[in-house]
Structure formats: C-alpha cells, structure tokens
Amino acid sequence: MMVACLPCSLDLNRARGGVVVRGEQAASTEGHRMARLDRSLIAGVPAFANLGAEALDDILSRAQIMRLLKGEAVFRQGEPAERFFLLLHGRLRVTRINAEGAQILVRFIAPNDMFGVAMAIGAATYPGTATAAVESLALSWPNAAWAELIAAYPSLAVKAMQSLGARLQDTQDRVLDLATQNVEQRIAGAVLKLARQAGRKTGEGVLIDFPLSRQDLAEMTGATLHTVSRTLSAWQTKGLVDCGRQKVVVRDEQGLSAIAAGGR
Amino acid sequence: MMVACLPCSLDLNRARGGVVVRGEQAASTEGHRMARLDRSLIAGVPAFANLGAEALDDILSRAQIMRLLKGEAVFRQGEPAERFFLLLHGRLRVTRINAEGAQILVRFIAPNDMFGVAMAIGAATYPGTATAAVESLALSWPNAAWAELIAAYPSLAVKAMQSLGARLQDTQDRVLDLATQNVEQRIAGAVLKLARQAGRKTGEGVLIDFPLSRQDLAEMTGATLHTVSRTLSAWQTKGLVDCGRQKVVVRDEQGLSAIAAGGR
DNA sequence: CGAAGTCTTGAATCGAATCAACGGAAGTGG
DNA sequence: CCACTTCCGTTGATTCGATTCAAGACTTCG
C-alpha cells in the first residue's frame, strides 16, 4: 500500500516544477514550462524504447506536462482533437456514449500508455472522454508533433501501430465475449483482467489498485449495476472476492477463471 | 444479379494470366507468376493513393495473385502469419472463435481492403479465419515486404494506421451496440451497414450483393439465427425488407434506421 | 432422388433488466 | 462537530426479451 504510493508521490513532486495545473493555466494552450523535464520521466515508456538520450530530450522538449485532479477530464468525446497524450502516473477512465445517452467504459489507461492519438488514426475529434480516476500526471504534445516525431523516430510509428493492433484485438475479444458469454462470465473476465493490469498483492489477495465502482464494472461488461452488485455479493459469500465501496480484492483467481471459462 | 457478376468475371479473366490457383500451387509458397500484373489492378486502392506508376509496379512486383473459390479459406485463426493480403474482387468473411467454440463474424472484407496484416500489428498468428463468401481474387505479399514497403513509401504506414484506427472505432461502436441496444436494433444496424457497403440498387430496393445467411447476421449481432429469422419475417410483413435464401433487400431504409435508432 | 444446408414457426424456459425501497459512507457547509 | 446532501451499494419482486427446445418446410446440389 504505502510502497506503491511512494513512487507516485515522488514523481508528482519531482515534476512539480514543470506542472501546468488546469485552472491556473488551460492545458490546451501553450504553457511555459518552468523547469526542464527530466528524461527519466519517459525512459521506461515502451513506445520510446530503443531511443537515445538526445531523442528523449528532443521528444520531451516539445511536451507539456499536466496534473489532473480526480474526476477532471483530459478531453471530451466530440471535441476537436488538437493534442495527444502519455500518462505518467495515475489512472484514467475512457468512456464512450451513443446518441441515446447509453455509455460504456472503453478502457482504463495505465501509466506509460499513449492516449488521445485521434489525429494519428485520422479522426478529427476525440471518439471518447478521458477522465482521471485518481489524481494523475500526463504529458501532451500538439498534433503537429506527431508527424515530426514519427519522421525523426520511425520506430515510434511501428510501436504505435502495434499498440493500436493490440487494442483492436482486445476490442474484438470483447465483442466475442459480449456476443457469446453470460453476464457472470463477463464480469469475472473483466475483474481478472483488471487484477492483472492494475493488481497489487495484499495479505488477503490481489487488490485492484484504483477506485472501481459497480457502475464501472457494469459499463465494462454491458450489465446493470444491480446485476454486478448481486454477482459480487454472491462471490463474496463463496470467498472468491472481498469487496467494498469502490474496492475489489480477488481472493481466488483460480475460482474466478473457472467462472470466466464457463465452469458454472 | 447478372449485372453484378459481369465486372467480377471480367476482372477475373483479365488477371487470369497471373493467377495462382490454390490446389495447383499452394499460396503460401513463392509461386512463379506467369504474366506481369497490370498496375491498373491496384491503381484504385486507397492505401496506394498518391503513389506513382513506378511505385505501383514495384509493389506489384513483390506480389502474388491468388484466386479463391467460394468457401475456400485464405488463412485460418491461429496459423502463423506469413503473408498479408489485398482483396481485388469478391468478398471475404472473417470469423473469430473462442475456446468454447462460440463464433462471431468479425467483418466482411470488400475489394481494395487490405487484410491479414497480423504481422504489422505485432501478432505472430492470424487472429481470425478469412473465407471467400464468393469466388474472389486477392494479392498477397510476404511479411518481409511490409517493412520494405513502408520504408520506401511512408504514406503507406500512415494509411495503414488510419485504416486500423477506423476499424478500432468500428469495433468499439459494436461493443457499444452490444452493450446497450436490443437485438432488433442491432440487426437493423447490421443490415443497414451491409446495405451501405455492399448494396446495389434494384427496382425493389437495395440488394446486399453477396450471399448473406440468417446465421451470418446472427454471428454479426450476437443473436441466434432463430431470432434473426423471426425479426426478418416481421420486417418483411411490414414491407421493410424483402428477403430470401441468403438474400436481403432493403426496401425501406428510413424505416430500418428508425428501428436501429430505437424508435420501436 | 436422397442428403445436406437453410429457413420458419410455435411453445416453454430462463437470464438479466426493470421497478422499487432502503442502508450506509463520504463529502459539504454552517 | 453535526445536519444535510449526494453518491454508492444491496436486495427483493416482477417483467420481459431472447434463447432454447422442437418440429417441419423449402432449396440446392451431388
């Protein structure tokens, strides 16, 4: 618990000199950075792997850093896409809403993920809304930097393509799940996936390390929050999970996997 | 019906000199082309827009052409991905199956679409199975050509990224539909989409111009063929569609749109 | 002509949504 | 610090859409 929080706090502090806080200064304008960004900020980003120190500095020199308060939106669905982003710390929820007002949770963005690359895929507006699930820290670049960066560092284009491909595979798997599995299987799958990508071992099991409500799980699985609540309650009785307000701890990964696979 | 077959037959004949027919010669081996491929074959391909005649010839010189009989698979899910493809004529169904054997129809591939670009997105195997819905004609390149081609023609990478992005958007919309709409709305949406991308005007309405079974629509929408059958029958009674064996004609696009939008 | 593939339609069932009411925790402001 | 509001979660009762089960008709093709 405390161990995990430390790097976050440290990094937030370390970068604070260059932070543009929304409200003081709008993130969509070109804010003046008050300090040079440290290249260690992005040294561990998969998209920037294999790039040298000068490359990282070059990339960072075009970036703006922004701190996001919990609940704050980075961009909203339908807004003109003028910048693209990289999450440094925290967690973002991406939602999409249709004409009738029904909403799904598209994905959670983890640190070191690029997001909002609408322009790179030929979209003029953001196709979803990104909101900070916890206080977060992100870098952003103007769209114009995209073409310049991939021209200067072609490996970036390859990496971007691969991560886009992985997301396409993921999304197609989700279609397959929605079309062929029942609600309980889908909820189990979603919880397991979250535990793997954001889990932290505790004495009691694997805690999903950010606030996750029943409504979130419902929007991830195409269920209602009522059904999610009933399902989690039943699992708790069986000792599969331990859950509370916006909290889920997986106690029996095996058992959940069996449910996800259809062993009911 | 007959009119639609003509361009197909014409093109199949025009290219026949270079056709490698499966069975005579396996498509995954490097077959000798018997005639030079005409660059007009790919002049209209969006991915190759803005490229000069020499570029097209260069691209074609690395390609192999293949004819696909109805029902024949280009590649199967899980196979090592060694080549990528471009559909010249015809129509392919791409399906994906999960561990329990449940299957969905991922998409129909139309002429001028690239497909099987698994390697470009970092997948070692094909994530789905591509089967000819009608007799078809395709080009293929070995994976190694991908890196060479995007290095030589960078606009290709941009185009590929954009088409991948469009597919991701499409797939996410499908998740939204599955999670929030009822079966009738989803079927209406699927039929309208197909009518737009493969529709041919006839006296009676817009014919979806390839064999489309109730089972296909069921696998596209996450429904059963029974429900699809009942739904189409009801629509036929109302005069919205005219359908028969593997045939759907949209007679009232407005009406279907209203259903898809939830005006029930 | 038989066989396989496609489609239709009725009846029964069931999973999950909807409707409804309430309990408790967290945040807000005086 | 306490009252008030808002957000989040639980649980029962009821309803309904869509699947499942079942049987048969029509088409195409070898």
Side-chain angles (χ1 to χ4, degrees):
Chain A
M1 183 69 179
M2 282 183 285
V3 177
C5 286
L6 277 176
C8 178
S9 314
L10 277 174
D11 286 313
L12 282 171
N13 286 324
R14 185 175 59 186
R16 193 149 286 160
V19 168
V20 176
V21 179
R22 282 240 173 156
E24 295 176 18
Q25 180 156 30
S28 56
T29 64
E30 293 289 329
H32 297 102
R33 278 166 283 97
M34 284 153 235
R36 216 150 153 285
L37 298 171
D38 190 309
R39 79 175 70 105
S40 69
L41 275 176
I42 60 167
V45 176
F48 302 146
N50 312 322
L51 295 180
E54 317 83 50
L56 296 182
D57 284 342
D58 176 35
I59 291 169
L60 270 176
S61 73
R62 306 154 187 259
Q64 206 174 87
I65 195 164
M66 61 200 290
R67 191 156 62 104
L68 297 156
L69 301 179
K70 180 174 175 173
E72 192 178 4
V74 185
F75 51 78
R76 292 177 195 281
Q77 181 170 344
E79 264 180 22
E82 286 164 353
R83 303 183 73 83
F84 62 93
F85 306 84
L86 172 75
L87 188 65
L88 293 175
H89 292 289
R91 189 80 48 171
L92 306 186
R93 310 165 77 248
V94 180
T95 57
R96 179 184 290 220
I97 199 167
N98 68 7
E100 287 87 54
Q103 176 172 297
I104 58 166
L105 206 165
V106 176
R107 63 166 175 147
F108 282 102
I109 293 166
N112 293 341
D113 282 352
M114 305 267 296
F115 65 99
V117 291
M119 198 268 175
I121 59 174
T125 61
Y126 295 110
T129 298
T131 317
V134 295
E135 187 180 0
S136 301
L137 196 62
L139 292 178
S140 78
W141 292 262
N143 275 344
W146 180 258
E148 297 163 19
L149 289 179
I150 64 168
Y153 314 108
S155 74
L156 243 179
V158 174
K159 287 277 168 55
M161 190 103 169
Q162 291 178 352
S163 93
L164 210 57
R167 275 173 60 194
L168 180 60
Q169 296 313 314
D170 254 30
T171 310
Q172 286 179 349
D173 282 337
R174 203 167 154 188
V175 170
L176 187 49
D177 288 349
L178 279 165
T180 67
Q181 296 192 308
N182 64 29
V183 169
E184 190 180 18
Q185 290 176 293
R186 299 202 304 266
I187 299 172
V191 168
L192 284 171
K193 192 171 150 191
L194 289 170
R196 284 185 201 117
Q197 78 180 38
R200 209 182 72 240
K201 276 240 169 60
T202 70
E204 298 299 305
V206 179
L207 167 71
I208 294 172
D209 203 14
F210 58 87
L212 179 75
S213 69
R214 308 287 179 273
Q215 181 69 41
D216 287 336
L217 279 170
E219 288 177 9
M220 291 183 75
T221 57
T224 60
L225 84 160
H226 307 276
T227 301
V228 172
S229 177
R230 280 183 240 271
T231 304
L232 289 184
S233 295
W235 288 351
Q236 181 136 25
T237 304
K238 293 182 194 159
L240 292 169
V241 297
D242 171 24
C243 49
R245 192 186 175 84
Q246 304 198 357
K247 185 194 80 164
V248 178
V249 179
V250 176
R251 306 187 73 165
D252 180 358
E253 188 172 335
Q254 303 275 329
L256 277 190
S257 295
I259 289 173
R264 329 191 288 103
Chain B
M1 189 67 178
M2 281 186 285
V3 178
C5 286
L6 277 178
C8 178
S9 313
L10 278 174
D11 286 315
L12 282 171
N13 285 326
R14 184 175 59 181
R16 194 151 285 162
V19 168
V20 175
V21 179
R22 282 242 173 155
E24 294 176 17
Q25 181 156 27
S28 55
T29 65
E30 292 291 327
H32 298 102
R33 278 165 284 97
M34 284 154 235
R36 216 151 154 288
L37 298 171
D38 190 308
R39 82 175 66 107
S40 69
L41 274 176
I42 59 167
V45 176
F48 300 146
N50 312 323
L51 295 181
E54 318 83 49
L56 296 182
D57 284 342
D58 176 35
I59 290 168
L60 270 175
S61 74
R62 303 153 188 261
Q64 207 174 86
I65 195 163
M66 60 201 290
R67 190 157 63 105
L68 297 155
L69 302 178
K70 181 174 175 173
E72 192 177 5
V74 186
F75 51 77
R76 291 177 196 282
Q77 182 170 345
E79 264 179 22
E82 286 164 351
R83 304 183 72 83
F84 62 93
F85 305 83
L86 171 75
L87 188 65
L88 293 176
H89 293 287
R91 189 81 47 171
L92 305 186
R93 309 165 78 248
V94 179
T95 57
R96 179 184 289 218
I97 198 167
N98 68 7
E100 289 86 54
Q103 176 171 297
I104 58 165
L105 206 164
V106 175
R107 64 166 174 147
F108 282 103
I109 293 167
N112 292 342
D113 282 352
M114 305 267 296
F115 64 101
V117 292
M119 199 271 174
I121 59 174
T125 61
Y126 295 111
T129 298
T131 316
V134 295
E135 188 180 0
S136 300
L137 197 61
L139 292 178
S140 79
W141 291 264
N143 274 345
W146 180 258
E148 297 163 19
L149 289 179
I150 64 168
Y153 313 108
S155 73
L156 243 178
V158 174
K159 288 276 169 57
M161 189 104 168
Q162 290 178 353
S163 93
L164 210 56
R167 275 172 60 193
L168 180 60
Q169 296 313 316
D170 255 30
T171 310
Q172 286 180 349
D173 283 337
R174 203 168 153 188
V175 170
L176 187 49
D177 287 350
L178 278 165
T180 65
Q181 297 193 306
N182 64 29
V183 170
E184 189 180 19
Q185 291 176 292
R186 299 201 304 266
I187 299 172
V191 168
L192 284 171
K193 192 171 151 192
L194 289 170
R196 284 184 200 119
Q197 75 180 42
R200 210 183 71 242
K201 276 242 168 60
T202 70
E204 297 299 305
V206 180
L207 167 71
I208 294 173
D209 202 15
F210 58 87
L212 179 75
S213 70
R214 307 288 180 274
Q215 180 69 41
D216 287 336
L217 279 170
E219 288 177 9
M220 292 183 75
T221 56
T224 60
L225 85 161
H226 307 276
T227 302
V228 172
S229 178
R230 280 182 242 270
T231 304
L232 290 184
S233 295
W235 288 350
Q236 180 134 27
T237 304
K238 292 183 196 159
L240 292 169
V241 297
D242 172 24
C243 49
R245 191 187 176 81
Q246 305 199 19
K247 185 193 80 165
V248 177
V249 179
V250 176
R251 305 187 74 165
D252 180 359
E253 188 172 335
Q254 303 276 331
L256 276 190
S257 294
I259 289 174
R264 331 194 288 101

